[in-house]
Amino acid sequence: MNLKVGIIGLGMMGKDHLRRLTKVLSGVDVIAVADIDTQRATSVAPAGTDVFSNPLAMIRSDKVHAVVICSWGPAHEAQLMECIAAGKPVFCEKPMVTSEQAALRVMEAEEAFGRRLIQIGFMRRFDSDYRALKAVIDGKSLGAPLIYRSVHRNASVPADLYTSDMPLNDTLVHDADISRWLLDDEIVNVEVRIPRRSSRGNDLRDPTIVLLYMSSGIIVDVEISVNISYGYDIRGEVSCEAGVAALPNRPATVISDRHGIRQSIPSDFRDRFIDAYDQELREWIVAASQGTATGPSAWDGYAATLVADAALRSAETGQCEPVAMKPKPALYANPLHLNKNAGGVAA
Ligand code: NAD
């Protein structure tokens, strides 16, 4: 039987995930949607879908087996808690929650339930380029990793919605999570440095350099530029003891014309990571069909929250700020081994 899913939040991400769950992936039926903006939910709901104005009521519905949360960050905690109370697997867009205390409450509730239910939307872990890069690092042919450079450039951000804190508490979370996963290491200190300000960003603090100090001694340097104009440009390069491994620039189409020879650049993240978003939900469907979750966990959501908090403190104090994580609960220690044929195969 297909997994019966309800989606909360039908804005940009919710609509995009609705498209892939109804048109790209198999093993799943979207049977309900919920949004505080009921008009918006009604306008995008496929025929026959139940529309809820109260997302918690949708989670409790007996017809809904699993939930996809794409509402605003501050709404995530209550919706995740309701999913755990109902024992339903849930995919939650980042940020998992917006405070350390909320992250601890969510992890405690999931631990008390006794089984993983939550997957967080860190889609880079599902991108084939990052997976190939990780395979090289894990293969140890280049020796130990020493430095990782992560470049995160957006063409532009909405001037009325994107504030000076957001490079650190919204954009950085993807670089922080991919660094932890790629290097299999935890971030222990965060330092923010502000170079010359771009005139394209109005009052925004842009660009930003963030140094992530890993527990092994590896240093990650992250460039966040959010008004770079030429496209959405994501780069990553790991310097190891005996060589360097880097992401390819995507897409690799080479254009030759009267301006010369160049490569095209994706315009935004939905374009660059389209396959990764498909794959994260494909793997979510497989796990959710078995009543559980794999991939980025509540522990990873907690880590991202602490890193964002430390980065905001560092921007304020100009100092290196510690990330003090509590010991890792057993629930998050070992990867689950699932029956990969249980659902979610591409149509
Ligand atoms: P959006 O503003 O376009 O849409 C959010 C929707 O949620 C709106 O329709 C709003 O009415 C609804 N909503 C808000 N609070 C709600 C509540 N309490 N209950 C029900 N519905 C509620 O936002 P978006 O850009 O789609 O972002 C949604 C989430 O996805 C955010 O957490 C954001 O950080 C995340 N996001 C992730 C990525 C990624 O690359 N993984 C990219 C962009 C956004």
Side-chain angles (χ1 to χ4, degrees):
M1 185 180 51
N2 279 359
L3 184 72
K4 309 289 183 204
V5 167
I7 304 179
I8 302 173
L10 281 302
M12 182 185 60
M13 287 310 286
K15 271 193 271 195
D16 204 36
H17 287 328
L18 173 67
R19 178 192 57 76
R20 58 176 47 84
L21 290 171
T22 54
K23 298 204 162 61
V24 181
L25 303 176
S26 64
V28 61
D29 297 322
V30 176
I31 55 126
V33 293
D35 199 300
I36 45 169
D37 183 342
T38 319
Q39 222 178 347
R40 175 179 282 181
T42 308
S43 71
V44 300
T49 311
D50 290 340
V51 178
F52 290 78
S53 55
N54 178 351
L56 303 187
M58 190 203 78
I59 294 168
R60 287 192 290 266
S61 164
D62 288 339
K63 292 196 222 164
V64 171
H65 298 162
V67 176
V68 170
I69 298 178
C70 303
S71 54
W72 296 322
H76 292 177
E77 180 186 2
Q79 294 165 0
L80 286 169
M81 289 302 225
E82 199 66 37
C83 289
I84 296 169
K88 296 187 181 175
V90 51
F91 172 87
C92 180
E93 267 305 343
K94 64 86 196 162
M96 178 174 82
V97 290
T98 50
S99 76
E100 178 178 357
Q101 289 313 313
L104 291 171
R105 284 192 291 271
V106 168
M107 278 199 300
E108 273 163 27
E110 198 183 34
E111 274 182 272
F113 181 76
R115 185 170 78 232
R116 272 199 58 191
L117 290 174
I118 299 173
Q119 178 179 324
I120 304 299
F122 291 128
M123 74 296 181
R124 289 190 186 185
R125 294 185 185 206
F126 300 86
D127 177 70
S128 55
D129 294 340
Y130 277 108
R131 286 185 164 182
L133 184 60
K134 182 164 174 60
V136 172
I137 305 304
D138 289 351
K140 302 193 191 311
S141 60
L142 303 181
L146 309 172
I147 301 167
Y148 175 47
R149 296 183 186 82
S150 189
V151 172
H152 192 151
R153 298 185 183 131
N154 283 275
S156 64
V157 287
D160 47 337
L161 296 175
Y162 196 91
T163 63
S164 263
D165 283 348
M166 289 177 76
L168 303 177
N169 67 9
D170 195 67
T171 303
L172 174 67
V173 293
H174 286 297
D175 302 275
D177 181 72
I178 206 67
S179 302
R180 296 176 56 249
W181 175 80
L182 195 60
L183 304 168
D184 197 15
D185 206 349
E186 289 297 355
I187 298 163
V188 291
N189 282 294
V190 179
E191 188 176 348
V192 173
R193 287 282 165 255
I194 310 292
R196 179 180 183 179
R197 185 175 289 204
S198 164
S199 61
R200 297 180 45 80
N202 302 321
D203 293 335
L204 207 58
R205 194 167 53 208
D206 175 51
T208 314
I209 300 284
V210 185
L211 299 177
L212 304 174
Y213 298 88
M214 312 303 291
S215 71
S216 62
I218 299 170
I219 296 181
V220 178
D221 83 80
V222 184
E223 172 195 326
I224 299 173
S225 297
V226 296
N227 279 295
I228 205 82
S229 92
Y230 68 85
Y232 181 71
D233 192 6
I234 297 300
R235 302 182 189 202
E237 183 179 280
V238 189
S239 299
C240 303
E241 291 167 315
V244 174
L247 297 174
N249 275 356
R250 286 261 238 142
T253 309
V254 180
I255 302 164
S256 305
D257 63 10
R258 64 195 172 83
H259 302 296
I261 299 174
R262 64 186 191 281
Q263 289 189 328
S264 58
I265 297 275
S267 57
D268 76 14
F269 52 88
R270 286 168 298 179
D271 193 7
R272 164 63 181 84
F273 286 114
I274 188 165
D275 295 335
Y277 288 118
D278 288 350
Q279 189 61 20
E280 73 174 348
L281 283 181
R282 190 176 286 124
E283 294 186 24
W284 176 72
I285 293 165
V286 171
S289 298
Q290 294 170 64
T292 188
T294 56
S297 66
W299 173 255
D300 301 308
Y302 164 67
T305 307
L306 292 194
V307 171
D309 286 352
L312 288 173
R313 286 199 310 276
S314 177
E316 197 68 33
T317 62
Q319 307 291 315
C320 194
E321 294 287 340
V323 175
M325 293 180 77
K326 69 173 212 154
K328 194 175 194 174
L331 185 64
Y332 307 111
N334 297 313
L336 294 174
H337 298 289
L338 296 174
N339 174 7
K340 296 270 168 129
N341 298 320
V345 180

